[in-house]
Amino acid sequence: MRPSGRKLNEMRSVSIETGVTKHAEGSCLIKMGDTHVLCTATIEDRVPPFIKGSGLGWVTAEYGMLPRSTSSRMRREAATGKQGGRTVEIQRLIGRALRAGVDRVALGERQITIDCDVIQADGGTRCASITGGWVALRLAVDKLMKAGLVTSNPLVDPVAAVSCGIYAGQPVLDLDYPEDSEAGVDGNFIMLASGRLIEVQMSAEGATYSRDQMNQLLDLAEKGVAELVVAQKAAVNA
Amino acid sequence: MRPSGRKLNEMRSVSIETGVTKHAEGSCLIKMGDTHVLCTATIEDRVPPFIKGSGLGWVTAEYGMLPRSTSSRMRREAATGKQGGRTVEIQRLIGRALRAGVDRVALGERQITIDCDVIQADGGTRCASITGGWVALRLAVDKLMKAGLVTSNPLVDPVAAVSCGIYAGQPVLDLDYPEDSEAGVDGNFIMLASGRLIEVQMSAEGATYSRDQMNQLLDLAEKGVAELVVAQKAAVNA
Amino acid sequence: MRPSGRKLNEMRSVSIETGVTKHAEGSCLIKMGDTHVLCTATIEDRVPPFIKGSGLGWVTAEYGMLPRSTSSRMRREAATGKQGGRTVEIQRLIGRALRAGVDRVALGERQITIDCDVIQADGGTRCASITGGWVALRLAVDKLMKAGLVTSNPLVDPVAAVSCGIYAGQPVLDLDYPEDSEAGVDGNFIMLASGRLIEVQMSAEGATYSRDQMNQLLDLAEKGVAELVVAQKAAVNA
Amino acid sequence: MRPSGRKLNEMRSVSIETGVTKHAEGSCLIKMGDTHVLCTATIEDRVPPFIKGSGLGWVTAEYGMLPRSTSSRMRREAATGKQGGRTVEIQRLIGRALRAGVDRVALGERQITIDCDVIQADGGTRCASITGGWVALRLAVDKLMKAGLVTSNPLVDPVAAVSCGIYAGQPVLDLDYPEDSEAGVDGNFIMLASGRLIEVQMSAEGATYSRDQMNQLLDLAEKGVAELVVAQKAAVNA
Amino acid sequence: MRPSGRKLNEMRSVSIETGVTKHAEGSCLIKMGDTHVLCTATIEDRVPPFIKGSGLGWVTAEYGMLPRSTSSRMRREAATGKQGGRTVEIQRLIGRALRAGVDRVALGERQITIDCDVIQADGGTRCASITGGWVALRLAVDKLMKAGLVTSNPLVDPVAAVSCGIYAGQPVLDLDYPEDSEAGVDGNFIMLASGRLIEVQMSAEGATYSRDQMNQLLDLAEKGVAELVVAQKAAVNA
Amino acid sequence: MRPSGRKLNEMRSVSIETGVTKHAEGSCLIKMGDTHVLCTATIEDRVPPFIKGSGLGWVTAEYGMLPRSTSSRMRREAATGKQGGRTVEIQRLIGRALRAGVDRVALGERQITIDCDVIQADGGTRCASITGGWVALRLAVDKLMKAGLVTSNPLVDPVAAVSCGIYAGQPVLDLDYPEDSEAGVDGNFIMLASGRLIEVQMSAEGATYSRDQMNQLLDLAEKGVAELVVAQKAAVNA
């Protein structure tokens, strides 16, 4: 029934390749099916003005799509002269999500910027960015710990994200683009490996949903996140 | 325990005054306690390019805060040269929420723009904008119906929104600013009067939450939205 | 003969309500007939770089129109990405006018920003902004004086402004929108309560005027400003 | 008493050289003492959307200062990314002033753009731009008339402008930069050769003025404009 | 003597992998040593306004660097609000270079946009973009030819580019970043496979050069381009 | 054969008038036939951040065209909101070229900005800007030397630039606009008076060229630069 032939509760194949760029302190290329996102982590000693001198660290994110990551070419945002509303929303979400998994005291007064650049898009780029972004973050923090600059682990539990939605009347896990563009209801679910929730964004376009349906999607999301955490752990220990 | 002395499940006093500007096709000033938002509806015959010729209508929204709506003065976005990320996020949310309650076929090929301008802010401006925005929209649609331009009611069920959060360890309804700035977890809940969900955005900053807590907030939100719908209905029938 | 039925030298009804927002150091809602402008004053300890260390104070202004303050909706300047030429001209005028009535030594090295936001427009918004702006400024300065931060009154004489023009061949006082859009000659007259002039801007579009006509408008303006000053004094003493 | 040694009612030397660029339909370099402005007129067959099909013509203006036209280098507005408030105000004034001297029916549905670029600044650049701009406009219209495209003269009477102010307590004609930067009151007076007024902008910074003083400045301005008109007529007939 | 240990006339290892993104009509990932650029080609039926109706085709290019493609993180141009001068210069060069190798009559009235996005930078990104850009272009044109939309081959001869410079007093081929940042003289040489020149840009910073030196670099460039053409041909025939 | 009737190796008449604006530390109006560029030099004590404290000087340039310097009016870049790609490219080239002729140690930690504003364009504006820019720079440096602020001459050898191209199959010197718009190959050649090369930019649009042709253009350029240097020396010694 799903265009890809997947079962309702079946994720796309996930692969996370680390160390893909030589300059970044942490990096990975995450592939969720045909969605490919390059995530890099940059460590800097400066922090935003509003926490200067607080001893607390900061994690932030930027997101972009290559112009031809999509089926028809998008205008390059650098040429347009500004980041679109969707881009701004997504990068704020990624930053907020990752910070929820960071002990900012343990990190110390430094900033880590996660850049998520979509090489190829097929739905779910924001969730892939969070899941891959955590891996890049983990690798960068590992460098700080190996160098003795950070002594207590600030990343206690992995952060991962997956989208679920109601497609053709059925709750399905990990929407790809053909499903996403048809689904009247879809949500992004961001969790810790422990199952604790960080953020739920569940919205409808031309439809509404019941609390029952919301709970069905949450059940699917828990399954999906558990599988993503396995992939994250394998990647960072590789 | 709440700074305002309200009970955990107690809303701020709500007032919705309609007909507050002479030019707009629909307008109201909504007050949720000290949060005051002016909502106006503008009807135009043109629609965005992507639905031209489809026969479908469109509802969109813009949001702004007056520079001194807040405790310390904010920079005027018109002077800054762009709308900030938070503004863009909020106005996209308002538009999406209101569209979910509109039968776009019945509306016909026209656009209604809801402007939500915050005169005074004390937390919950996006929810007040949605709740008041629906009233302005309803009044504008009433004009179209009286004029015979729209014959079938495109607004079957009111749309309203309320925020809830976990404040000092307790689930509370309708966060005001002192609560909002302290709450580690807060959510915006947008529903139809029927209780069907349109959008849930529940996020944590420096904290996480369980599914149980999520359900407690949803219970509170259902209570709040029911009260808001009463105020909306009273306003549009006044 | 005037669309509103007013006499040639008759002002619209004026009302000035103070204390309309809880955050600003001074505020009022001024109504000149159907023109409604919200004026707020913000006190800050910093001054612009060019007077830093001079001991002198600064008063500046910003002006905006809500998108649906007008008969057909205007584009929101924050969305357009810049303030239009008319906006910039008006806010520079308001700031210059108010500064002319301020003893900047007595004010001391601090800045007061007057925000003038047009809620509903029906002609004469810049004059209403100046007249209402002075009230907000006065209230903010009163706070400084009550707190002992300013000891000598920096606002010796009220500043008020009114527009006059030649409509249907006749000099008329306090143009409303239907008059303003037809008048070939119109002027803005800014004065102290004493009658001393601060700024005269009298321009023609598709017409010219004689010195005699200019003097007739000045006579009208003196009458109008005297009435506005009465309203200002009543408002700040209320 | 004046820094330049001029008498109170003495203009700077005026020179207007025409035909200074080969591409423009009309051009001149106007020198008011050390203030040098290059004015060019461009004829185009299109008009702004709001008069399309009306049969009426349009005259508009743009103004700029070369970065080193001033004593210390100004930032280039093209590099800054926008025209400053002062620039916008001035170019709107120039356009409005010139239009007041144009019979837009006789001009026919075409647009003439006057570009005024300040090569060297020493006070009074906006007045020089209007006076020189009229010459460029006249020359462009002459071309249209010679070509038979315009048959009735749309420029009945020259438009010229001069600044006056109160300097060291005395009313003086044609302020140069050292006077302008000291004068508490200064005005720009735009007139037809006939003496009819087009626009008066008379403002005070840190001072106020009486109606008597205003009349003294108007007297001076009438003298100055008469002299400018002589120079304009000599230039266009050369 | 070279930091990399390469001989003076030795290129970095070159690899060109095609078909790297599923959406683009042509794509490749070109690696010149540690410089990695993703090149995609997009075919569109529209052409720029200045050639509309001419029957001629157009090839254009856009260039960008991922924020962490470099040793320290660069600001994202989409966030900055504009493309920097270097970016604009490079993308204009890429477009001009590729057009020189295209028979625009044979291409027919359509546009091909080459996006060159630097994944990892180590010197020579603009040359890699041209060389890889031609491969993406070739693959896109092949699609048009296979579909019968283009019947005569518009790409007669490959276009390739290489940088050469004077490093430590010696002419060297294919500068990497450590060389590029030290070289007082460096040039970019763009040629057809036939050896005909398309563009030479040879500049000095804090140095100058003789015609003899220029000829030595041209000799090296001819060698380098010949090797690149071999790699291009292998890639497109793979 | 050339539209102007010039011989293949004949320059346009060159004139360089110095001291044309009273504010700049150095200035000239350079005329290459009908191409007229105003060049001014501004000395400032600050340097860009990346060389602060290094003791080294900096020379930079900005370039602009007056809107009606061209045959049809160009949009004013200040109004457009940004400098176009061509402008940015040219001003970077001018700055780089002039720096190549400066001993930055001898100049000392100060910045000289060369503004090149095109009053009238007829091809070759970037070369005229470099040649005239050097004259303005020389005059500014002379002031520093006369004042004893610079003691060792930082400008050892004049920098000049000329364009050459292949027009109607023939190599020609100093392209004017009618030639430039037809030439398939054209180059800009920047040299020291000694004949040492600073920058060569030789590009083809819809054509290619051989090394022989490149050498022919270089021969022409050497002749042209020698003549320009004579004019520069005459101007600065006048």
Side-chain angles (χ1 to χ4, degrees), chain D residues 44-61:
Chain D
E44 287 166 306
D45 277 333
R46 56 184 188 75
V47 290
F50 61 89
I51 52 166
K52 225 171 189 167
S54 68
L56 296 171
W58 191 247
V59 172
T60 188

PDB file of all heavy atoms in Angstrom, chain D residues 44-61:
ATOM      1  N   GLU D  44      11.870  58.073 -21.165  1.00  0.00           N
ATOM      2  CA  GLU D  44      11.467  56.691 -21.429  1.00  0.00           C
ATOM      3  C   GLU D  44       9.992  56.661 -21.801  1.00  0.00           C
ATOM      4  O   GLU D  44       9.208  57.479 -21.317  1.00  0.00           O
ATOM      5  CB  GLU D  44      11.711  55.814 -20.194  1.00  0.00           C
ATOM      6  CG  GLU D  44      13.189  55.534 -19.953  1.00  0.00           C
ATOM      7  CD  GLU D  44      13.438  54.967 -18.566  1.00  0.00           C
ATOM      8  OE1 GLU D  44      13.008  55.604 -17.576  1.00  0.00           O
ATOM      9  OE2 GLU D  44      14.067  53.893 -18.470  1.00  0.00           O
ATOM     10  N   ASP D  45       9.639  55.686 -22.613  1.00  0.00           N
ATOM     11  CA  ASP D  45       8.252  55.633 -23.070  1.00  0.00           C
ATOM     12  C   ASP D  45       7.305  55.025 -22.041  1.00  0.00           C
ATOM     13  O   ASP D  45       6.101  55.216 -22.101  1.00  0.00           O
ATOM     14  CB  ASP D  45       8.159  54.856 -24.398  1.00  0.00           C
ATOM     15  CG  ASP D  45       8.495  55.772 -25.555  1.00  0.00           C
ATOM     16  OD1 ASP D  45       8.279  56.987 -25.423  1.00  0.00           O
ATOM     17  OD2 ASP D  45       9.005  55.294 -26.580  1.00  0.00           O
ATOM     18  N   ARG D  46       7.834  54.331 -21.074  1.00  0.00           N
ATOM     19  CA  ARG D  46       6.977  53.716 -20.051  1.00  0.00           C
ATOM     20  C   ARG D  46       6.699  54.716 -18.915  1.00  0.00           C
ATOM     21  O   ARG D  46       7.497  55.613 -18.658  1.00  0.00           O
ATOM     22  CB  ARG D  46       7.649  52.459 -19.483  1.00  0.00           C
ATOM     23  CG  ARG D  46       9.022  52.739 -18.933  1.00  0.00           C
ATOM     24  CD  ARG D  46       9.739  51.496 -18.449  1.00  0.00           C
ATOM     25  NE  ARG D  46      10.961  51.879 -17.765  1.00  0.00           N
ATOM     26  CZ  ARG D  46      10.997  52.402 -16.541  1.00  0.00           C
ATOM     27  NH1 ARG D  46       9.892  52.570 -15.855  1.00  0.00           N
ATOM     28  NH2 ARG D  46      12.149  52.749 -15.984  1.00  0.00           N
ATOM     29  N   VAL D  47       5.585  54.533 -18.254  1.00  0.00           N
ATOM     30  CA  VAL D  47       5.255  55.335 -17.070  1.00  0.00           C
ATOM     31  C   VAL D  47       4.977  54.397 -15.904  1.00  0.00           C
ATOM     32  O   VAL D  47       4.789  53.187 -16.100  1.00  0.00           O
ATOM     33  CB  VAL D  47       4.006  56.227 -17.308  1.00  0.00           C
ATOM     34  CG1 VAL D  47       4.317  57.354 -18.281  1.00  0.00           C
ATOM     35  CG2 VAL D  47       2.836  55.404 -17.788  1.00  0.00           C
ATOM     36  N   PRO D  48       4.956  54.911 -14.682  1.00  0.00           N
ATOM     37  CA  PRO D  48       4.642  54.060 -13.528  1.00  0.00           C
ATOM     38  C   PRO D  48       3.244  53.455 -13.673  1.00  0.00           C
ATOM     39  O   PRO D  48       2.356  54.066 -14.285  1.00  0.00           O
ATOM     40  CB  PRO D  48       4.689  55.015 -12.336  1.00  0.00           C
ATOM     41  CG  PRO D  48       5.462  56.210 -12.789  1.00  0.00           C
ATOM     42  CD  PRO D  48       5.226  56.308 -14.268  1.00  0.00           C
ATOM     43  N   PRO D  49       3.056  52.263 -13.094  1.00  0.00           N
ATOM     44  CA  PRO D  49       1.793  51.542 -13.237  1.00  0.00           C
ATOM     45  C   PRO D  49       0.561  52.380 -12.891  1.00  0.00           C
ATOM     46  O   PRO D  49      -0.474  52.264 -13.551  1.00  0.00           O
ATOM     47  CB  PRO D  49       1.936  50.370 -12.257  1.00  0.00           C
ATOM     48  CG  PRO D  49       3.397  50.224 -12.009  1.00  0.00           C
ATOM     49  CD  PRO D  49       4.039  51.544 -12.264  1.00  0.00           C
ATOM     50  N   PHE D  50       0.671  53.249 -11.866  1.00  0.00           N
ATOM     51  CA  PHE D  50      -0.538  53.930 -11.384  1.00  0.00           C
ATOM     52  C   PHE D  50      -1.063  54.991 -12.352  1.00  0.00           C
ATOM     53  O   PHE D  50      -2.124  55.551 -12.118  1.00  0.00           O
ATOM     54  CB  PHE D  50      -0.311  54.528  -9.979  1.00  0.00           C
ATOM     55  CG  PHE D  50       0.789  55.550  -9.922  1.00  0.00           C
ATOM     56  CD1 PHE D  50       0.532  56.888 -10.151  1.00  0.00           C
ATOM     57  CD2 PHE D  50       2.090  55.164  -9.638  1.00  0.00           C
ATOM     58  CE1 PHE D  50       1.555  57.837 -10.105  1.00  0.00           C
ATOM     59  CE2 PHE D  50       3.116  56.106  -9.588  1.00  0.00           C
ATOM     60  CZ  PHE D  50       2.837  57.448  -9.828  1.00  0.00           C
ATOM     61  N   ILE D  51      -0.315  55.315 -13.440  1.00  0.00           N
ATOM     62  CA  ILE D  51      -0.874  56.256 -14.433  1.00  0.00           C
ATOM     63  C   ILE D  51      -0.916  55.654 -15.830  1.00  0.00           C
ATOM     64  O   ILE D  51      -1.171  56.354 -16.811  1.00  0.00           O
ATOM     65  CB  ILE D  51      -0.118  57.605 -14.475  1.00  0.00           C
ATOM     66  CG1 ILE D  51       1.395  57.371 -14.635  1.00  0.00           C
ATOM     67  CG2 ILE D  51      -0.408  58.440 -13.252  1.00  0.00           C
ATOM     68  CD1 ILE D  51       2.132  58.659 -15.034  1.00  0.00           C
ATOM     69  N   LYS D  52      -0.631  54.358 -15.925  1.00  0.00           N
ATOM     70  CA  LYS D  52      -0.659  53.685 -17.224  1.00  0.00           C
ATOM     71  C   LYS D  52      -2.008  53.895 -17.896  1.00  0.00           C
ATOM     72  O   LYS D  52      -3.052  53.660 -17.293  1.00  0.00           O
ATOM     73  CB  LYS D  52      -0.393  52.194 -17.033  1.00  0.00           C
ATOM     74  CG  LYS D  52       0.603  51.650 -18.035  1.00  0.00           C
ATOM     75  CD  LYS D  52       1.018  50.254 -17.727  1.00  0.00           C
ATOM     76  CE  LYS D  52       2.173  49.849 -18.646  1.00  0.00           C
ATOM     77  NZ  LYS D  52       2.811  48.639 -18.189  1.00  0.00           N
ATOM     78  N   GLY D  53      -1.975  54.336 -19.120  1.00  0.00           N
ATOM     79  CA  GLY D  53      -3.212  54.503 -19.862  1.00  0.00           C
ATOM     80  C   GLY D  53      -3.938  55.811 -19.596  1.00  0.00           C
ATOM     81  O   GLY D  53      -4.989  56.071 -20.189  1.00  0.00           O
ATOM     82  N   SER D  54      -3.373  56.640 -18.718  1.00  0.00           N
ATOM     83  CA  SER D  54      -4.052  57.894 -18.368  1.00  0.00           C
ATOM     84  C   SER D  54      -3.749  59.011 -19.368  1.00  0.00           C
ATOM     85  O   SER D  54      -4.383  60.058 -19.347  1.00  0.00           O
ATOM     86  CB  SER D  54      -3.579  58.350 -16.984  1.00  0.00           C
ATOM     87  OG  SER D  54      -2.207  58.727 -17.057  1.00  0.00           O
ATOM     88  N   GLY D  55      -2.721  58.814 -20.201  1.00  0.00           N
ATOM     89  CA  GLY D  55      -2.321  59.881 -21.105  1.00  0.00           C
ATOM     90  C   GLY D  55      -1.431  60.921 -20.440  1.00  0.00           C
ATOM     91  O   GLY D  55      -0.899  61.816 -21.107  1.00  0.00           O
ATOM     92  N   LEU D  56      -1.260  60.798 -19.120  1.00  0.00           N
ATOM     93  CA  LEU D  56      -0.443  61.769 -18.383  1.00  0.00           C
ATOM     94  C   LEU D  56       1.021  61.355 -18.351  1.00  0.00           C
ATOM     95  O   LEU D  56       1.334  60.158 -18.308  1.00  0.00           O
ATOM     96  CB  LEU D  56      -0.941  61.883 -16.936  1.00  0.00           C
ATOM     97  CG  LEU D  56      -2.344  62.429 -16.750  1.00  0.00           C
ATOM     98  CD1 LEU D  56      -2.778  62.291 -15.305  1.00  0.00           C
ATOM     99  CD2 LEU D  56      -2.390  63.898 -17.186  1.00  0.00           C
ATOM    100  N   GLY D  57       1.901  62.349 -18.318  1.00  0.00           N
ATOM    101  CA  GLY D  57       3.322  62.070 -18.186  1.00  0.00           C
ATOM    102  C   GLY D  57       3.745  62.025 -16.734  1.00  0.00           C
ATOM    103  O   GLY D  57       2.953  62.290 -15.830  1.00  0.00           O
ATOM    104  N   TRP D  58       5.011  61.682 -16.496  1.00  0.00           N
ATOM    105  CA  TRP D  58       5.554  61.603 -15.147  1.00  0.00           C
ATOM    106  C   TRP D  58       6.980  62.117 -15.151  1.00  0.00           C
ATOM    107  O   TRP D  58       7.730  61.885 -16.105  1.00  0.00           O
ATOM    108  CB  TRP D  58       5.500  60.156 -14.652  1.00  0.00           C
ATOM    109  CG  TRP D  58       5.795  60.005 -13.180  1.00  0.00           C
ATOM    110  CD1 TRP D  58       6.879  59.396 -12.613  1.00  0.00           C
ATOM    111  CD2 TRP D  58       4.981  60.455 -12.093  1.00  0.00           C
ATOM    112  NE1 TRP D  58       6.780  59.445 -11.249  1.00  0.00           N
ATOM    113  CE2 TRP D  58       5.639  60.091 -10.893  1.00  0.00           C
ATOM    114  CE3 TRP D  58       3.772  61.140 -12.019  1.00  0.00           C
ATOM    115  CZ2 TRP D  58       5.128  60.383  -9.625  1.00  0.00           C
ATOM    116  CZ3 TRP D  58       3.253  61.442 -10.764  1.00  0.00           C
ATOM    117  CH2 TRP D  58       3.929  61.064  -9.582  1.00  0.00           C
ATOM    118  N   VAL D  59       7.319  62.838 -14.100  1.00  0.00           N
ATOM    119  CA  VAL D  59       8.705  63.267 -13.898  1.00  0.00           C
ATOM    120  C   VAL D  59       9.118  62.789 -12.527  1.00  0.00           C
ATOM    121  O   VAL D  59       8.386  62.987 -11.544  1.00  0.00           O
ATOM    122  CB  VAL D  59       8.829  64.806 -13.996  1.00  0.00           C
ATOM    123  CG1 VAL D  59      10.231  65.259 -13.597  1.00  0.00           C
ATOM    124  CG2 VAL D  59       8.509  65.272 -15.406  1.00  0.00           C
ATOM    125  N   THR D  60      10.253  62.123 -12.454  1.00  0.00           N
ATOM    126  CA  THR D  60      10.737  61.619 -11.176  1.00  0.00           C
ATOM    127  C   THR D  60      12.224  61.941 -11.066  1.00  0.00           C
ATOM    128  O   THR D  60      12.840  62.374 -12.040  1.00  0.00           O
ATOM    129  CB  THR D  60      10.455  60.114 -11.036  1.00  0.00           C
ATOM    130  OG1 THR D  60      10.771  59.700  -9.712  1.00  0.00           O
ATOM    131  CG2 THR D  60      11.260  59.292 -12.017  1.00  0.00           C
ATOM    132  N   ALA D  61      12.784  61.753  -9.889  1.00  0.00           N
ATOM    133  CA  ALA D  61      14.186  62.113  -9.692  1.00  0.00           C
ATOM    134  C   ALA D  61      14.873  61.112  -8.790  1.00  0.00           C
ATOM    135  O   ALA D  61      14.243  60.480  -7.943  1.00  0.00           O
ATOM    136  CB  ALA D  61      14.288  63.503  -9.079  1.00  0.00           C
TER     137      ALA D  61
END
